[in-house]
Each structure stands twice: as C-alpha cells, then as structure tokens.
Amino acid sequence: MLLDGQTNRLLGYPADARLLIINADDFGMCHAVNEAVMRALPTGVLRSATVMVPCPWGLHAMRFLAAHPEIPFGVHLTAISDWADYRWGPLCPREEVPSLIREDGTFYNFDQMQHFLAQVDLGQLELEFRAQIEAVLAYGLRPTHLDWHCLRLDGWDAVSEVMLGLAREYGLAMRVVVRSQIARVRSLGLPTNDSGFLDSYQLDLTGKQAHYVELLRRLPPGLSEWAIHPGFNYPELLAIESEGHHMRQSDFDFLVSQQARDVIEEEGIILLDYRPLQAVWREAAGREVKAL
C-alpha cells in the first residue's frame, strides 16, 4: 500500500481516517443495470456512478443524471465492448479511429484487450475519450471524475497518461489503481486512492456478502475505492450476461442492505464521492495556469 497520508491531508481528514468511495460502474450499459443504479443511489451506501456514453442505454442514464443534479457522477471512458451479441462502438466516425475498432465497427472485446492495447493509436484513443466527455458536457451535465470500462492498465502507463491529461484539462479527478500510476498522480500533489481498489468482478459469488463485510472490517486508513456493478436479474441481463447476472444482482442487494450501512457506521468508515478530490485537482490545475 502506498500510504503516507497525502490524500487524507489534501482532503482535510486525519491520517488514520478510513475513507471509501463506492462507485457504480457501467451506468448506461443496459436497462437492467440502469434501473439498479437508479434504485441504489438514494437508498444505500452507493455514492456515485459512472456513465458509459457509447452504450445503448447511455442516453437514458444521462437523462436521469440531468433530472438529479445532486448526484455526483463520472464518465466511464469506454473502448472495450464486452459480449458477442451485445456490442457498441465509438462516438467518433470510424475512419477517424480505425485502431479502436474491429471489422464490424465495434470496439474490441475483453479477450482481445492485450492486442487492442498493443496496437492502439494513442491520438485516436484521446480523440474518442474526448468525444465521450464532450457528449456528457453537451447534455448539460457536470461530471466529477473519469474512470474506464474494463481496461487492465498494468504496464500501460501511456494509456493512463492520456486519461490523466484529459482529467486535468477538463478539471476532473481520475480513478487510478496501478501502483506506478498512483505514484505518478501523487508526485503531482494530487489526491488518489492509496492502492486500496476493489473490482467487484474479482469476488466469488459464493459467500460474497460476507466477504464484503470482511473487507469493510479490514478497510485500511487512507482512501480506498470500490467499483461495484449493480444490476437486476431481468431477462434482458440474463440474455446479455448469462454467466454474470447473479453477480450484479448480489452487488445491488449488498449496496441497499441494512448490514452494509450498519458495518460502515460501526467501523467509522467515511463514505465519499469524487467531489472533494475534484476540488483539489481543479485548484492544482488553476495554480498551474497562473504559473504559466
């Protein structure tokens, strides 16, 4: 764990405070996911969501966020399409981002990620990610941060730099999970998670609720982030993700459970969203502009 109290200090908390961001990834992926996110946000321990703009239900997610400006959210930068029968592609014209797409015009799938990352043109990737951010802004929304869909960025610091540059340009914070990339952000004097990151897809379904409780009990000082994937076991989700739908339903069940609220209160865990981090990132960007 890369912990020296920097993030707690920058956010105004004691060094031993246990801070946790619980974010719902994949908002906009499909209706079953959207409804679960919208139900969980006002009723449980979920603190923010990140919207997948290129997905078929991205507009539905953005319309909800426009109607609820009090809800903090980020842009779930998307360059991977997950399933054989349910795909999406770039917002940019295909001829402008050929290294991002397969022959059918959709993004590469998860199993093709290493090939995708090895050959992607970073300029084209930045162009598409910028288009997704601009689409959110054009809808009148004001995101707090950037994160990404499915990318495994160990060893791909150059891709992280693309997103870091966009975050700083647009006055947003950014999710950072790889040690080298955490160190990079910390070297800029910016708050980031202290290497305490959880992707809920990494948890086994068996005993999952108990595992969540155990993780809360053992949450270390500093800032941690959980990327959770709520969804309802509707026929739509069963058809899209036949092997993973129970995982999404179990995530929703935990997020809205009394047990989750009770354990967080008992442990003195402070739930955050990305707004405090964004304020520090913006202030730092403002200082850089004045220094030029």
Side-chain angles (χ1 to χ4, degrees):
M1 170 164 292
L2 301 173
L3 179 62
D4 65 359
Q6 174 174 299
T7 291
N8 283 32
R9 182 174 65 255
L10 289 170
L11 298 181
Y13 291 98
D16 62 351
R18 302 155 76 196
L19 313 177
L20 177 61
I21 294 172
I22 302 179
N23 184 85
D25 287 19
D26 297 358
F27 196 24
M29 190 197 88
C30 66
H31 180 262
V33 166
N34 281 12
E35 188 169 340
V37 173
M38 292 186 293
R39 287 263 303 274
L41 277 167
T43 59
V45 299
L46 189 63
R47 284 300 176 265
S48 64
T50 35
V51 61
M52 297 178 72
V53 182
C55 290
W57 284 84
L59 183 60
H60 179 253
M62 289 195 289
R63 187 162 61 248
F64 171 82
L65 292 168
H68 298 275
E70 74 281 2
I71 294 176
F73 76 98
V75 182
H76 203 49
L77 296 172
T78 302
I80 295 292
S81 185
D82 301 62
W83 296 282
D85 300 322
Y86 187 64
R87 303 179 182 180
W88 45 80
L91 298 188
C92 291
R94 295 180 182 184
E95 60 271 16
E96 294 183 7
V97 290
S99 71
L100 273 65
I101 58 176
R102 299 176 284 191
E103 291 183 0
D104 66 356
T106 62
F107 291 133
Y108 289 88
N109 65 27
F110 186 83
D111 292 337
Q112 298 169 311
M113 186 185 311
Q114 292 305 308
H115 168 74
F116 162 70
L117 290 171
Q119 61 79 53
V120 70
D121 181 290
L122 294 179
Q124 294 176 20
L125 186 65
E126 179 179 345
L127 188 67
E128 173 60 24
F129 283 169
R130 185 183 298 276
Q132 294 177 23
I133 297 167
E134 289 289 347
V136 170
L137 297 177
Y139 203 79
L141 300 173
R142 293 296 176 262
T144 61
H145 67 287
L146 302 177
D147 57 30
W148 56 89
H149 179 65
C150 278
L151 292 176
R152 300 296 184 262
L153 295 178
D154 282 291
W156 301 101
D157 288 358
V159 175
S160 179
E161 283 293 319
V162 169
M163 293 186 282
L164 177 59
L166 290 169
R168 301 181 79 189
E169 176 183 343
Y170 282 95
L172 305 172
M174 189 176 92
R175 171 189 289 169
V176 192
V177 303
V178 176
R179 281 181 171 270
S180 61
Q181 295 156 19
I182 292 173
R184 163 73 169 134
V185 170
R186 288 157 63 88
S187 74
L188 298 171
L190 298 172
T192 184
N193 98 76
D194 293 297
S195 195
F197 180 76
L198 171 72
D199 179 341
S200 67
Y201 263 92
Q202 298 170 349
L203 301 182
D204 290 334
L205 184 61
T206 303
K208 188 177 186 182
Q209 307 302 308
H211 195 175
Y212 272 134
V213 171
E214 180 186 0
L215 290 171
L216 288 172
R217 299 285 190 199
R218 295 192 286 108
L219 195 78
L223 177 63
S224 302
E225 180 177 0
W226 289 6
I228 309 296
H229 301 81
F232 286 138
N233 276 356
Y234 293 165
E236 175 200 34
L237 190 57
L238 294 172
I240 293 170
E241 191 178 9
S242 59
E243 295 181 359
H245 60 278
H246 291 299
M247 189 281 296
R248 291 183 182 266
Q249 180 70 55
S250 66
D251 275 1
F252 173 83
D253 293 343
F254 180 74
L255 289 171
V256 301
S257 69
Q258 185 63 46
Q259 183 181 33
R261 290 191 290 269
D262 289 345
V263 173
I264 287 170
E265 182 177 359
E266 291 167 9
E267 293 294 322
I269 295 168
I270 300 169
L271 293 181
L272 297 180
D273 55 67
Y274 266 94
R275 285 176 294 190
L277 282 75
Q278 182 189 26
V280 180
W281 281 60
R282 279 187 167 175
E283 182 181 357
R287 288 196 301 268
E288 290 181 5
V289 170
K290 290 179 181 178
L292 295 178

